[in-house]
Amino acid sequence: MTIPDIIIAIDGYSSTGKSTLAKLIASEFSFLYLDSGAMYRAVTLFAQERGLIDSANNIDEKGLKAALEGPEAPDLRFEYSPEGSQTFIGERNVEKEIRTMAVSSQVSPIATVPFVRAFVDDKLHEFGRKGRVVMDGRDIGTAVFPDAQLKIFVVARDEVRAQRRFDEMKAKGQDPVMEEVMKNLAERDYIDSHREVNPLRQAEDAFVLDNSDMNFHEEIVWVTGLLMGRFDIRS
Ligand code: DC
């Protein structure tokens, strides 16, 4: 089955399985995959290391702007590898560090800052120019690529999301506590959907996928059917 060179936007709340779906699509239909949250996470790690956000989530916005845009600014970027994109701060691959609970607990406040969103959007648009791209996040179909030819909004039941995040952290050798995972998800849901600039919401032309009770195979069957219908593909 031949899919045209399009942009596929996948949005939804944390831990609904957006990145799993995006990776499945990327490998099944040879798309480049980009996890937009990784860049917000990299900015968060950077802010933490520079002491520009405190434990009560007070952000030194002026300091962060100067550090990100000044002459000494680090190069925050994605590099593509067969396993998916890798996130770098300068020469440092931070792909693992940006997935810790320390970063997860401060990334949503950082993502509310308007110039941070503009900074990340520039990087996402640059990546989008590669053409055949599947990107997941919170505002990909509504703000970053409002003209994306296919938009999917992923949902899953809360307990399923928490268990997935818990298992993912365990698999990475971390030691998660279920109550903390649930609290973090609830906090991020609230902040992500209530911020002023481009809050998380379902695009009007998005197709909704509830994958609470689906396995990978069922998800791919669902997407394949969607693509065939959407682009009038016969087989
Ligand atoms: O997908 P994730 O959990 O790695 O995303 C981390 C945070 O980044 C999320 O809580 C909100 C923010 N984010 C965003 O505001 N817009 C995006 N397109 C992607 C992520």
Side-chain angles (χ1 to χ4, degrees):
M1 182 167 119
T2 311
I3 308 294
D5 288 348
I6 56 169
I7 291 192
I8 301 179
I10 301 182
D11 289 305
Y13 290 94
S14 305
S15 298
T16 45
K18 302 182 296 294
S19 64
T20 302
L21 175 64
K23 283 181 201 162
L24 285 171
I25 293 175
S27 80
E28 184 78 14
F29 303 112
S30 302
F31 273 63
L32 293 175
Y33 162 58
L34 188 77
D35 158 17
S36 68
M39 192 47 69
Y40 288 100
R41 288 172 175 274
V43 173
T44 305
L45 179 65
F46 174 74
Q48 289 174 335
E49 290 180 338
R50 295 286 177 104
L52 298 168
I53 179 165
D54 68 16
S55 56
N57 291 339
N58 295 305
I59 301 164
D60 175 356
E61 292 196 21
K62 255 185 156 173
L64 182 56
K65 191 169 184 349
L68 281 179
E69 294 174 356
E72 308 271 289
D75 186 17
L76 271 71
R77 65 183 194 285
F78 299 113
E79 269 186 24
Y80 210 73
S81 82
E83 300 84 48
S85 70
Q86 301 286 307
T87 314
F88 281 76
I89 300 181
E91 291 313 305
R92 212 170 115 213
N93 184 330
V94 293
E95 199 52 42
K96 210 165 168 199
E97 278 172 89
I98 60 173
R99 312 282 166 191
T100 59
M101 189 53 110
V103 170
S104 296
S105 65
Q106 297 201 301
V107 62
S108 285
I110 289 280
T112 63
V113 179
F115 79 81
V116 169
R117 301 205 68 78
F119 173 87
V120 172
D121 283 358
D122 282 351
K123 313 258 175 208
L124 304 182
H125 287 142
E126 196 182 307
F127 196 90
R129 279 196 280 279
K130 293 181 193 287
R132 196 176 171 84
V133 167
V134 53
M135 195 179 288
D136 76 315
R138 305 294 186 290
D139 61 346
I140 307 304
T142 52
V144 181
F145 293 113
D147 298 330
Q149 293 90 337
L150 186 70
K151 301 179 187 178
I152 301 173
F153 193 81
V154 188
V155 298
R157 289 191 301 275
D158 286 354
E159 71 273 16
V160 174
R161 296 166 58 205
Q163 190 64 50
R164 283 178 185 160
R165 175 53 60 109
F166 184 90
D167 294 346
E168 192 181 280
M169 293 175 78
K170 272 247 158 194
K172 284 180 185 154
Q174 298 172 20
D175 194 16
V177 176
M178 186 50 107
E179 287 74 46
E180 279 176 29
V181 171
M182 293 184 82
K183 189 165 163 266
N184 175 252
L185 287 183
E187 281 169 3
R188 287 167 63 198
D189 284 358
Y190 185 85
I191 300 174
D192 293 348
S193 53
H194 287 80
R195 65 169 173 245
E196 263 178 49
V197 184
N198 299 334
L200 167 66
R201 62 180 174 80
Q202 184 188 322
E204 276 174 22
D205 50 350
F207 294 89
V208 178
L209 170 67
D210 182 343
N211 63 14
S212 302
D213 301 307
M214 279 177 148
N215 60 33
F216 296 166
H217 176 70
E218 289 164 332
E219 288 198 43
I220 270 300
V221 169
W222 183 88
V223 173
T224 304
L226 187 62
L227 285 163
M228 289 175 81
R230 183 81 178 72
F231 298 102
D232 206 16
I233 298 165
R234 302 270 164 237
S235 69

